[in-house]
Amino acid sequence: MYVLFMLLSGCAATQSDCAKDYLRAAAFQRTMMFAGSIDLRWTLIRPERPVPGQILVRGWWDDGRYRTDVMEHSYKAAIYGPDSRKPGETLEVSIWNGEGAVIKKVRNSTRYLYLLEDHPRTANERLFSPTCLGLPRAGGSQSEPAASMCLDYDVRRLEKMEDGLVRIDLAAPDSGQVSMLVWFLIDPSRDYAVTEYGFEAIYKSAHDQSVQTTYTVHGTNELELVGNVWFPMKGRHEQRRNGEFHWANEFEVLSLQMSAPPDSKKFTWADLDVPAGELILSTAAAFPSFEWTEQKAAPIAGQLRSDGK
């Protein structure tokens, strides 16, 4: 891509600036995913469960807004209660539209609950932006690709490998209690796409700093060219705790369309069929609970309007 060539053809003077340019380029190629839809299967591998769990999700995104619908979940009885849905009904809907809270519709045995919540601290299988799929969650909520690239971390290593990949190691600012190292493998021949990543987080006990717990993560992506974006159609994210396997998530993209933006209604309350008189329960810090009406909600400070705008 010409813009990326211009960005990196003359790499910055310092190793740190040059490494950050590679990371920005990796994020930039994901921003070419302007809008679209995705069907995806997560596989949850947990040592305490002999059979891996699976989650089937459907997602949409457009200009920083994204929505994840949970269609099926292996652990649905434990999470949502007895399944009394009609064919085609979802287990859970989560919408982030940039208005400051996550809009949710969650199955609860025989009915749906309607909720407002703060965005999770890190993305998860039930709320994520497809533009950030296969990028490390150490960066936070992953509301946009650059947030996954740890651009505020200190560069410790920049190396061009024999196979043409670029290795970048970074360190988070020292907090005293937690130290974090992150690394990326980037492929310049595929528009600077991230092929692998990892991080090591060391947590020291507040009472005895000689006691510590170390989490290590390794993520891998299987890339395919979709439109003009090298996208991970399969991936694995594995975590170890003090060297022992802790858990892993794998994903497989079942369908992916990068095309015209979805109907804007997809990112609003209007698409959730909220019954009149329903109480919208809020745990979001800046938003009160409120009763749903067929008209737009009254302009209460900090409250989303019923049309989501």
Side-chain angles (χ1 to χ4, degrees):
M1 296 166 64
Y2 179 75
V3 174
L4 296 183
F5 174 77
M6 291 297 293
L7 176 65
L8 290 171
S9 59
C11 208
T14 69
Q15 172 178 275
S16 177
D17 289 342
C18 189
K20 296 293 180 71
D21 280 348
Y22 277 110
L23 296 173
R24 291 186 186 98
F28 178 81
Q29 71 108 19
R30 292 295 190 93
T31 66
M32 302 304 291
M33 300 171 57
F34 300 111
S37 62
I38 190 171
D39 288 328
L40 182 143
R41 177 172 54 238
W42 292 101
T43 300
L44 314 180
I45 303 168
R46 305 293 185 265
E48 70 275 12
R49 294 183 180 270
V51 178
Q54 292 194 340
I55 310 175
L56 293 178
V57 301
R58 180 166 296 155
W60 297 264
W61 77 95
D62 177 26
D63 192 28
R65 301 178 296 176
Y66 46 94
R67 167 176 169 165
T68 306
D69 288 13
V70 178
M71 308 306 295
E72 290 296 338
H73 198 306
S74 293
Y75 311 142
K76 59 188 175 185
I79 298 172
Y80 306 103
D83 192 354
S84 59
R85 293 174 298 157
K86 298 176 182 178
E89 288 186 329
T90 60
L91 287 166
E92 181 175 346
V93 177
S94 298
I95 299 170
W96 175 255
N97 61 15
E99 294 288 343
V102 177
I103 297 172
K104 294 183 70 73
K105 176 181 179 179
V106 181
R107 191 72 182 178
N108 182 24
S109 297
T110 59
R111 66 185 299 269
Y112 285 101
L113 301 178
Y114 300 85
L115 313 169
L116 279 174
E117 296 179 356
D118 289 320
H119 198 292
R121 188 177 62 85
T122 58
N124 58 55
E125 294 71 42
R126 288 145 63 186
L127 177 61
F128 64 94
S129 171
T131 64
C132 298
L133 192 66
L135 299 178
R137 298 176 184 176
S141 65
Q142 293 188 300
S143 55
E144 46 99 13
S148 300
M149 306 311 295
C150 305
L151 291 169
D152 57 337
Y153 287 16
D154 298 326
V155 175
R156 296 291 180 86
R157 174 185 178 190
L158 171 62
E159 181 179 353
K160 295 183 179 180
M161 316 294 284
E162 291 184 1
D163 56 7
L165 301 181
V166 174
R167 165 92 182 218
I168 298 172
D169 292 9
L170 307 106
D174 189 3
S175 68
Q177 295 298 121
V178 182
S179 63
M180 175 81 77
L181 300 174
V182 181
W183 59 268
F184 294 88
L185 280 181
I186 291 173
D187 189 348
S189 72
R190 291 188 280 186
D191 288 338
Y192 307 95
V194 174
T195 62
E196 295 185 45
Y197 64 85
F199 57 85
E200 178 185 82
I202 301 175
Y203 294 82
K204 298 177 181 178
S205 168
H207 305 291
D208 183 354
Q209 299 239 330
S210 66
V211 178
Q212 61 185 36
T213 303
T214 301
Y215 294 94
T216 55
V217 163
H218 184 205
T220 57
N221 292 321
E222 296 184 25
L223 302 169
E224 293 184 19
L225 185 61
V226 182
N228 59 355
V229 176
W230 286 96
F231 191 77
M233 299 300 284
K234 293 182 179 180
R236 178 182 172 92
H237 177 107
E238 178 179 312
Q239 178 170 292
R240 292 180 173 271
R241 184 177 186 271
N242 292 333
E244 299 291 329
F245 178 78
H246 195 208
W247 59 267
N249 288 346
E250 297 177 348
F251 67 83
E252 179 181 2
V253 176
L254 305 177
S255 69
L256 177 65
Q257 294 185 347
M258 300 184 197
S259 55
D263 186 338
S264 60
K265 183 181 177 183
K266 281 283 185 191
F267 306 103
T268 70
W269 285 110
D271 202 46
L272 300 187
D273 299 321
V274 185
E278 182 74 22
L279 179 62
I280 310 298
L281 297 171
S282 176
T283 58
F287 296 82
S289 301
F290 66 96
E291 183 177 306
W292 181 264
T293 65
E294 293 182 357
Q295 293 76 36
K296 293 180 180 179
I300 300 173
Q303 176 178 299
L304 292 176
R305 289 165 26 173
S306 62
D307 60 359
K309 297 181 179 178

